[in-house]
């Protein structure tokens, strides 16, 4: 039926002196009436009102990506700064993000409780964040990895989680920081075993699973934690910080972040 | 409480001869026990089993993007080919996509009915697609726009829709093609009025809303439809086509696309 | 394949001296392996953690039901007391309900924020509430309508709504009470016009839509509001109250209702 | 603010000659404007279009209920017939149910693929079914249990599952029948051990878990399967059948059940 309609439209346009607008309308109406029912299959994915909306993204296969691009171990500061640059870009391009927190190849973005951006649709929140982050990663790569060309376009996955109270949001961010701390402790010892003690990666892994490693054996750097990357908004732009968000001190210094009315 | 734990872990590491592994475990256990409850807030977003899963992405503010990058009107073939290159990359990098269909600044990707990729989680499907597409767009830009530098990293939004039958899937794709046809007809006439008849864009818009435009007034190109971009898989790689997918002919020529067992 | 299995099981049982348990296991295993995949189609409907879960039910076609059972207008106190009896039964039979609020043919039940009853599955909350309410309505009917036999079994519909904060929960209950107040005001004037002024129902309806009715024309009862029915828990049982829940007074008198740790 | 409004409304009504309608409108408007935002917290729970919608209900604690009401073991035919009467009532009262299948204390109801009853909201489907079933159970109890008074109102739980194809729907129903068959085989042997061999229930349970029971030891009835209860619609009413729905025979005899256009 639509095919017939399309023919009519084409017929219309072929004839001289035919009013084009009528043709266009005709075709549009026919196409709509026949196929547009497929829109009914779209599900509503609105995030619960009055809740904090968090989008967390993770690099896809970044273990391999880090190897292919010779990231230094355990933390490559160029990569960390590029991640933060991407997070800043996301915060500047998208609306209603109040804070972002990252580590390694992951970043979490917090939208304000009463955000009504795209009617709070979860799919909009997560796809806008990950696509802007991913395109920025490639766009700004050269600013951080001058001598190291990007070999292929990286992927990221994302998810949306909704938190109903300030306490649960803070605990979410503390969970990510605790996780970062633990992972980093592990990685630091792992790479100390490899780089200082000359173990192979597999030997180091076994060592950490089976035996006890002591501080006699490996020297740990004074500043041992992974860079905690926090980006928050001032009146005019997104500003990166490197600070502790577990405990109350950070939140007392930055009451505006959780302030509903700011 | 975690803070106390972190101090203990640091204390551990400062002391000589302390078994590191015990320290690491201690800190991990404490962090988990206190904050990990926040994982319970993640919702399940599994796509209904045995259904076609479609991810559709759209460029964010591509009207502005096209202007800033001097896209030719109504269709910029460099931009269309770049879109198709990105779609091919998505199909090669991600699993279980059987066909992709695009037009203008949008692309739809169809995952096979029985895909169990990431346990069919909607968020995984859509974020992997849009992030891979977005990073590819920047990565391959120079291959298509040699003299035109990319001015800023573009964003895309995405959504997941689930179709329970072959018929509803085909109708979805026909809907997108019909929509493409109509938009393209409109744009072609619009730009003919601007480029051939010397109207301003606002005059052309008013003309199309209020008056009748006739084929006496504007010459339309023989091949007037926007490029329909279809990417499908052969045994070894993703292959772009430019063909009609409304009607049965396409599906009869390519039975393997909807074949469950291929 | 299962049919063959069933035959085997039957064959087993027909033979003498056959170990029955082996037969049972055989049949069970075959049935499971072939059909149990259909469980994968069940969607997860967990209510967001740490939120108040509200189930509201409404009588189905209660306008007709009230007519068929000669309910007095505008409020039938027998019907209201039966509703409250059912709400009490629901609160006594089901777990974790902290307060119930009703009016006319509707009742709302509030489950405590940290309830983990049936893993917070929305379908469990709503179906247990409406089925217990519906069976109780028939079971206790005779205690309230002695001379009026129940002519047919009534139906109810239900829904689940999730509120993330004490304020939004209180506002939900205030909304129901405000709605009750307005409806009751309308009904009271409507029935005064019918019963005191001798208008037909249709005339009364038109009068209320088109003209102004004044207090000169109809005498309104001193206690004009519909019975607000509140059921709350004491240490040992569910207790009905009739009081105002808009404003802070009620919540100050009953701090235990919203108290997380009670 | 609403409180103030309510006072005004009451003030209105107290004064002589005051237009009541204006008062009503005033109060309604104020209540709406302040509290009605809570409606935004209701989630959409539409069932995917063009799919079969199944509601399955189960008796709550029916093990205890059966004991308290002296149900005969392993199958009480009065109870089975009452279940079927309730299922018939549900099919007659609600719209768009094409078949119902039951066993023991559970029943499944299948709504037609293209049903648009209550816009396909899952909560409407399941609460209408379980409440109508529960109230019917009490209402019709005396018709089946003449000498056995109902001691308390029973509860039921329910769930909605969505099936995208005829095959998955048939497999769902086969799964329920297979499950019924297995349970019934087990129960029949269990009660034969108790009733014929004089074991206690706990001894019988252990016997079935640990040892092999042979057909030498217990006599099994010729017709050993639990009543499979099927209710389907004819042109005018819901009709109960007792037949096998695993395999194609049933579906070939009743093509109208899955026929979209019937």
């Amino acid at each position: 039926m639509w095919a017939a309609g399309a023919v009519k439209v084409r017929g219309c346009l072929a004839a001289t002196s035919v009013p084009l607008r009528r043709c266009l309308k005709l075709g549009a109406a026919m196409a709509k009436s026949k196929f547009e029912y497929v829109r009914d299959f779209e599900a509503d994915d609105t995030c619960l009102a009055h809740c904090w909306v968090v989008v967390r993204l993770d690099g896809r296969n970044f273990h391999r990506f880090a190897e292919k691009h010779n990231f230094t171990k355990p933390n490559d500061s160029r990569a960390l700064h590029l991640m933060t640059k991407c997070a800043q870009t996301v915060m500047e391009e998208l609306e209603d993000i109040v804070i972002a927190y990252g580590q390694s190849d992951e970043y979490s973005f917090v939208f304000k409780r009463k955000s009504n951006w795209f009617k709070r649709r979860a799919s909009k929140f997560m796809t806008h964040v990950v696509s802007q982050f991913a395109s920025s990663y490639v766009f700004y790569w050269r600013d951080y990895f001058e001598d190291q060309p990007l070999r292929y376009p990286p992927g990221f996955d994302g998810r949306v989680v909704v938190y109903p109270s300030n306490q649960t949001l803070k605990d979410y961010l503390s969970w990510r920081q605790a996780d970062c701390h633990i992972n980093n402790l592990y990685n630091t010892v792992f790479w100390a075993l490899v780089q200082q003690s000359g173990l192979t990666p597999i030997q180091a892994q076994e060592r950490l699973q089976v035996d006890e490693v002591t501080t006699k054996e490996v020297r740990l750097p004074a500043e041992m934690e992974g860079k905690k990357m926090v980006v928050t908004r001032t009146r005019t732009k997104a500003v990166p910080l490197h600070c502790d968000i577990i405990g109350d001190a950070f939140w007392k210094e930055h009451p505006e972040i959780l302030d509903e009315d700011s």
Side-chain angles (χ1 to χ4, degrees), chain A:
Chain A
M1 195 176 153
W2 185 86
V7 168
K8 259 195 197 165
V9 174
R10 283 195 203 97
C12 262
L13 296 165
T16 42
S17 308
V18 172
L20 281 174
R21 208 175 115 252
R22 196 173 298 154
C23 294
L24 297 180
K25 278 193 168 171
L26 182 67
M30 279 185 297
K32 283 206 175 203
S33 66
K34 180 151 188 211
F35 298 124
E36 215 166 17
Y37 81 93
V38 299
R39 301 184 83 160
D40 294 342
F41 293 75
E42 287 198 32
D44 178 274
D45 63 345
T46 307
C47 294
L48 186 63
H50 290 214
C51 292
W52 298 103
V53 175
V54 175
V55 173
R56 180 166 84 249
L57 58 78
D58 283 275
R60 181 171 182 241
N61 282 336
F62 256 52
H63 190 76
R64 173 174 172 262
F65 186 84
E67 290 214 338
K68 294 280 184 194
H69 293 89
N70 304 312
F71 282 14
T72 56
K73 304 290 183 183
N75 292 303
D76 187 300
S77 70
R78 298 166 301 173
L80 295 172
H81 285 116
L82 172 56
M83 291 288 288
T84 295
K85 175 65 181 174
C86 296
Q88 272 182 280
T89 307
V90 167
M91 285 184 74
E92 280 157 10
E93 286 295 321
L94 310 189
E95 281 174 43
D96 289 349
I97 301 174
V98 294
I99 189 171
Y101 176 78
Q103 52 167 310
S104 177
D105 65 339
E106 75 164 60
Y107 238 103
S108 295
F109 298 84
V110 181
F111 288 80
K112 66 184 193 191
R113 285 181 94 126
K114 302 213 172 158
S115 173
N116 201 29
W117 197 51
F118 287 105
K119 294 185 185 165
R120 299 178 71 79
R121 289 172 57 188
S123 56
K124 296 286 184 179
F125 284 124
M126 70 181 118
T127 57
H128 276 122
V129 166
V130 298
S131 70
Q132 192 65 57
F133 197 95
S135 67
S136 300
Y137 200 92
V138 180
F139 190 81
Y140 294 113
W141 172 268
R142 269 179 301 175
D143 296 351
Y144 297 86
F145 288 88
E146 287 160 31
D147 308 325
Q148 174 76 57
L150 180 61
R151 298 183 55 181
Y152 59 87
F156 295 86
D157 81 355
R159 76 195 70 197
V160 163
V161 196
V162 155
Y163 289 103
S165 64
N166 289 357
Q167 191 57 52
T168 49
L169 175 67
K170 288 185 203 172
D171 286 352
Y172 167 79
L173 292 167
S174 295
W175 175 55
R176 297 322 305 147
Q177 181 170 330
D179 192 56
C180 164
H181 182 78
I182 300 306
N183 288 337
N184 198 62
L185 219 48
Y186 181 92
N187 288 334
T188 302
V189 177
F190 176 89
W191 288 106
L193 287 171
V194 171
Q195 292 161 352
Q196 297 168 24
S197 312
L199 271 58
T200 66
I202 288 177
Q203 287 170 330
Q205 202 181 340
E206 280 170 1
R207 202 58 209 288
L208 280 161
Q209 271 167 9
V210 182
D211 306 325
E212 298 287 359
V213 178
T214 70
T215 45
K216 225 178 204 162
E217 200 170 345
V218 296
R219 293 181 315 279
L220 296 177
E223 208 278 80
M224 197 191 42
E225 287 191 45
K227 280 289 193 323
K228 291 176 291 282
M229 305 169 287
V230 182
V231 186
T232 185
R233 266 187 208 284
T234 63
R235 199 171 302 273
T236 49
K237 57 176 191 157
V239 182
L241 308 167
H242 295 94
C243 58
D244 205 315
I245 57 172
I246 299 183
D248 282 340
F250 174 78
W251 301 106
K252 279 183 182 153
E253 274 171 51
H254 298 277
E256 73 285 358
I257 294 174
L258 300 184
D259 185 356
E260 295 298 303
D261 306 316
S262 68

